[in-house]
Amino acid sequence: MAETGRIPVPLRLCRGCRRFVNLDGREDCVFCGADLAAAEAEHEANLAEMRRAADALREALAGLR
Amino acid sequence: MDARRAEALPVRYAGLDDIVKRVPVSVVWEITLACDLACSHCGSRAGRRRRDELSTAEALDLVGQIAELGARDVGLIGGEAYLRKDWLEIVAAIRAAGMRCDLQTGGRNLSEARVAAAAAAGLCGVGISIDGIGATHDKVRGVPGSYELALAALRRVRAHGLSSAVNSQINAYTLPQLREMMDVIIDAGATNWQLAITTAMGNAADHPEMLLQPWQMLEVMPLLAELAVEGRERGLFLQPASNVGYFGPHESTIRNVLDPEIFFHGCNAGDTVMGIEADGTIKGCPGLGADYAGGNVRERRLKDIWENSAPIAFNRRRTVEDLWGFCRTCYYAETCMAGCTWTSHALMGRAGNNPMCHHRALEMDARGLRERLVKVRDAPGRSFDNGEFEIVVEPVPPAASTRVPDRIAVNG
């Protein structure tokens, strides 16, 4: 069987400082100290809020036409 | 990655399945070394044809062999690819085999007739090299007037409905002009801008004054991040080459391909990238030198070289134990594997330690240090040759340090 290519080692993006961190089981970012899960949750909440705002704007604009 | 993103990705994007199966998604093929420019950074020292370039029949047979391996994108380069008389036959054959075909060119003689003929042959897109504004470009490319000729070629490509991209070198001459260059190439209609750091190979090895110093990554990466964000807003997709990086706070921004969680995951040479020289020599990457030549298609089938040749396999067979210097104990060692093999080999004489790295420069700077490259050996003067540099670790001059040190958390 032919050799496989080099499988990329996965990393995770810290939403606090936007650096990538190893998946080594640490709960805090090795660079900025942020709680990785909490920073991700806050990021997701902000994204959801932005999407809601965009949807509302689209609806409002559609109502004007 | 979801289906929507997968569909929107460029053909050249290699996914996990491609990596596992070692599909040479992107093949970069130097079809001739003849050239009509005299670039001071040319790694292949292009100008005259190679002694024994593939015949038309051999080249067309090779197209079939490339397709057999599942390649999706063939980029034709030189020298200057259009100087090969049968280049349009090669373009047509690549397209007939179901692969995308692009031309990477200096554009000096990419005339209206040539662009029209290439479009008729099925060429998909053109990447034109622009290295600075006006006189800077002319100096880097070695031909007065080549800047205006390159811009004219870019507009010509757009007018014929081909996808248009720009390739630019980041070096001591071009770095101060990158922002202005972005304005110019957006105005000329380019939609994709690939940027690569000038590598110390070939002609560039003879011009160390042109090369960036490692500490300059502290300037380059924030700038590219700004340009990437602004470029996206203005319809230009900034694409960092594999030797631009690595990590630090801007990695996500500059490598974002519809996904901010994409990061540099190491050299792809011999896995999803293949380089072909005009005489049929096969390498894992177009930039690599003779040490990485896996064989010649005049002697072995391409499939055999790709699957069984040890020099092609170097990347997938090495481990962190093969790294040295800073890279050996770097926080990102296992992921990054010293970044671009071409860059590290060209500078250090062997792969495994790459000083052109943002994360490394940040780590050094946090300790009040920086690395400076000093040339200690000249390149011998052959195509794809290199000299050698030493790394001098020195204190950051007081006037140069502007960073507030971050928390240092990494090993090494």
Side-chain angles (χ1 to χ4, degrees):
Chain A
M1 183 174 144
E3 281 176 296
T4 61
R6 193 173 75 86
I7 309 297
V9 173
L11 299 174
R12 177 179 183 174
L13 183 64
C14 168
R15 299 292 181 178
C17 64
R18 294 186 59 79
R19 295 191 195 205
F20 285 93
V21 296
N22 287 324
L23 301 182
D24 54 10
R26 287 180 69 134
E27 292 180 352
D28 63 324
C29 173
V30 77
F31 294 103
C32 73
D35 181 314
L36 291 168
E40 185 68 33
E42 184 179 345
H43 170 75
E44 290 297 324
N46 289 340
L47 263 188
E49 182 59 35
M50 280 196 293
R51 286 190 189 113
R52 279 193 289 274
D55 289 342
L57 182 58
R58 261 193 293 274
E59 277 183 39
L61 288 173
L64 288 175
R65 291 195 199 102
Chain B
M1 186 177 294
D2 63 35
R4 180 187 64 89
R5 283 177 182 161
E7 278 180 23
L9 289 171
V11 158
R12 259 185 279 175
Y13 182 82
L16 184 58
D17 194 54
D18 297 315
I19 293 169
V20 169
K21 293 176 182 170
R22 289 192 54 241
V23 176
V25 171
S26 176
V27 174
V28 181
W29 185 0
E30 169 211 282
I31 59 173
T32 181
L33 204 54
C35 197
D36 54 12
L37 289 169
C39 300
S40 49
H41 62 278
C42 183
S44 59
R45 300 189 187 269
R48 293 174 180 274
R49 283 181 171 74
R50 288 189 187 274
R51 197 169 47 85
D52 197 11
E53 296 189 345
L54 294 178
S55 66
T56 303
E58 287 171 326
L60 297 180
D61 181 75
L62 181 53
V63 170
Q65 295 188 58
I66 294 168
E68 184 189 359
L69 292 180
R72 297 199 286 269
D73 184 282
V74 180
L76 300 181
I77 66 170
E80 191 53 83
Y82 58 64
L83 292 178
R84 201 186 145 111
K85 289 188 172 60
D86 58 359
W87 83 288
L88 294 174
E89 286 184 66
I90 296 172
V91 169
I94 291 167
R95 297 294 288 137
M99 298 179 286
R100 183 183 165 90
C101 185
D102 296 308
L103 168 70
Q104 307 301 327
T105 174
R108 180 184 179 187
N109 288 297
L110 190 60
S111 63
E112 174 65 28
R114 276 199 169 114
V115 175
L123 189 71
C124 301
V126 179
I128 294 181
S129 294
I130 295 181
D131 295 318
I133 303 291
T136 302
H137 173 104
D138 289 354
K139 174 181 174 174
V140 171
R141 294 265 139 190
V143 172
S146 55
Y147 174 72
E148 292 300 335
L149 291 170
L151 282 179
L154 183 56
R155 294 189 184 103
R156 224 167 267 142
V157 166
R158 281 273 298 164
H160 280 271
L162 300 173
S163 70
S164 57
V166 169
N167 301 317
S168 297
Q169 295 284 306
I170 307 176
N171 55 48
Y173 304 136
T174 63
L175 177 57
Q177 299 183 348
L178 287 183
R179 188 171 286 284
E180 190 181 352
M181 284 163 65
M182 188 167 86
D183 290 336
V184 168
I185 66 178
I186 288 175
D187 185 59
T191 54
N192 187 300
W193 189 20
Q194 170 155 311
L195 290 141
I197 292 172
T198 296
T199 300
M201 178 166 270
N203 290 350
D206 302 338
H207 295 282
E209 73 281 0
M210 166 185 253
L211 304 173
L212 294 183
Q213 288 290 347
W215 73 74
Q216 289 180 283
M217 298 310 294
L218 298 176
E219 176 188 353
V220 168
M221 293 294 278
L223 175 60
L224 292 187
E226 283 178 25
L227 296 179
V229 170
E230 185 182 333
R232 270 200 286 275
E233 292 167 359
R234 297 171 64 187
L236 180 72
F237 175 56
L238 192 149
Q239 192 179 344
S242 293
N243 75 354
V244 173
Y246 301 99
F247 305 108
H250 304 295
E251 176 79 13
S252 170
T253 301
I254 70 164
R255 282 198 212 284
N256 187 336
V257 182
L258 304 180
D259 184 349
E261 298 189 42
I262 287 183
F263 54 90
F264 178 76
H265 58 75
C267 172
N268 294 319
D271 279 349
T272 57
V273 174
M274 177 192 294
I276 303 176
E277 291 182 1
D279 63 1
T281 299
I282 305 299
K283 305 181 290 191
C285 168
L288 293 172
D291 290 347
Y292 300 87
N296 192 292
V297 291
R298 287 183 167 128
E299 295 156 11
R300 294 164 71 182
R301 298 292 293 175
L302 181 64
K303 189 172 194 298
D304 176 36
I305 296 171
W306 186 248
E307 289 181 356
N308 301 313
S309 167
I312 301 290
F314 82 91
N315 191 20
R316 62 182 181 271
R317 290 178 184 170
R318 57 186 182 154
T319 68
V320 171
E321 301 298 321
D322 294 301
L323 305 181
W324 56 285
F326 182 102
C327 290
R328 175 68 180 82
T329 54
C330 177
Y331 177 76
Y332 294 110
E334 201 179 356
T335 300
C336 178
M337 292 296 289
C340 172
T341 302
W342 176 36
T343 299
S344 58
H345 190 115
L347 286 171
M348 312 308 300
R350 58 183 170 121
N353 185 18
N354 184 352
M356 301 307 296
C357 170
H358 190 212
H359 167 75
R360 180 165 168 163
L362 286 168
E363 291 296 301
M364 286 283 167
D365 192 62
R367 297 170 191 158
L369 300 171
R370 69 182 192 183
E371 293 180 300
R372 182 162 52 87
L373 291 167
V374 177
K375 187 175 169 187
V376 295
R377 180 171 64 82
D378 287 335
R382 295 186 303 269
S383 181
F384 291 114
D385 63 346
N386 59 272
E388 199 171 321
F389 290 74
E390 269 182 4
I391 298 173
V392 172
V393 180
E394 60 190 18
V396 177
S401 180
T402 57
R403 273 192 79 250
V404 175
D406 260 342
R407 165 178 152 162
I408 301 171
V410 298
N411 50 325

